[in-house]
Amino acid sequence: MNDLPIPLYVTATDLVKGKLKIFADSTKIVDAILASSSVPGVISPYEINEKLYSDGGILNHFPTDILQGRCEYIIGVYVSTVQKITAKDLRSIKAVTTRAFELLVANSNLQKFNNCDWLIEPDELSSFNTFETNKAKMDQIFEIGYQAAKKSFESLAG
């Protein structure tokens, strides 16, 4: 990571210690990314130096706080908008539990939006699943994100 022209901070969760890990310059970028993207229940934890790491979002889903004082500007891209549902969608214990967790995470992230100099939040993503695998839907997700960033930049520059 120390070969990059702009410093990069990647987080993961140390599953044994229960602590957030911010990877240092000495970490290979591929290792940091694989550890950070090891989503529990989807991808197995990733081992670096005999330590097991998983998704940094377990402990810090929108880590703008770790960037304060480390950079001139913070550009936040928040893609975990709260899913749009109706009461009919909450008819199982699993659905209620999932919704409660989603609301908990969203609430803790809202406070971190204030750390951003520029925030991109494509609300239209709320109608898509986090683990979407359908190619056509993935293309839609990309386009929504691209257009949201473009619109946000235009309003910032204008």
Side-chain angles (χ1 to χ4, degrees):
M1 288 178 34
N2 55 357
D3 292 335
L4 298 172
I6 297 173
L8 175 66
Y9 302 97
V10 177
T11 64
T13 300
D14 181 326
L15 289 174
V16 174
K17 291 183 178 177
K19 303 264 183 195
L20 188 71
K21 170 72 174 174
I22 304 170
F23 288 104
D25 291 342
S26 60
T27 306
K28 291 180 183 177
I29 192 167
V30 67
D31 287 334
I33 297 298
L34 287 171
S36 182
S37 61
S38 296
V39 178
V42 179
I43 300 173
S44 297
Y46 189 77
E47 187 174 333
I48 302 173
N49 298 327
E50 299 181 21
K51 293 185 179 182
L52 287 178
Y53 294 101
S54 199
D55 182 5
I58 294 169
L59 296 178
N60 194 339
H61 192 68
F62 194 64
T64 58
D65 50 324
I66 68 165
L67 295 174
Q68 291 187 301
R70 295 184 184 203
C71 55
E72 290 181 43
Y73 299 98
I74 297 176
I75 301 170
V77 181
Y78 190 68
V79 296
S80 299
T81 56
V82 175
Q83 296 282 309
K84 294 179 181 173
I85 66 167
T86 66
K88 293 177 189 173
D89 297 317
L90 298 173
R91 295 210 171 145
S92 71
I93 292 172
K94 180 183 176 188
V96 171
T97 304
T98 300
R99 182 64 170 183
F101 179 73
E102 181 183 53
L103 295 173
L104 173 71
V105 169
N107 186 54
S108 69
N109 291 331
L110 290 175
Q111 299 167 5
K112 296 178 185 178
F113 290 177
N114 293 328
N115 296 337
C116 298
D117 297 293
W118 178 17
L119 178 66
I120 302 166
E121 185 182 13
D123 290 329
E124 297 165 66
L125 292 180
S126 65
S127 42
F128 292 90
N129 186 311
T130 300
F131 301 107
E132 188 58 66
T133 57
N134 177 284
K135 173 75 168 98
K137 288 185 179 179
M138 288 170 54
D139 288 342
Q140 284 180 296
I141 290 168
F142 174 84
E143 188 60 27
I144 289 167
Y146 177 79
Q147 292 303 325
K150 189 175 169 183
K151 181 179 177 182
S152 177
F153 180 75
E154 288 167 357
S155 67
L156 185 70

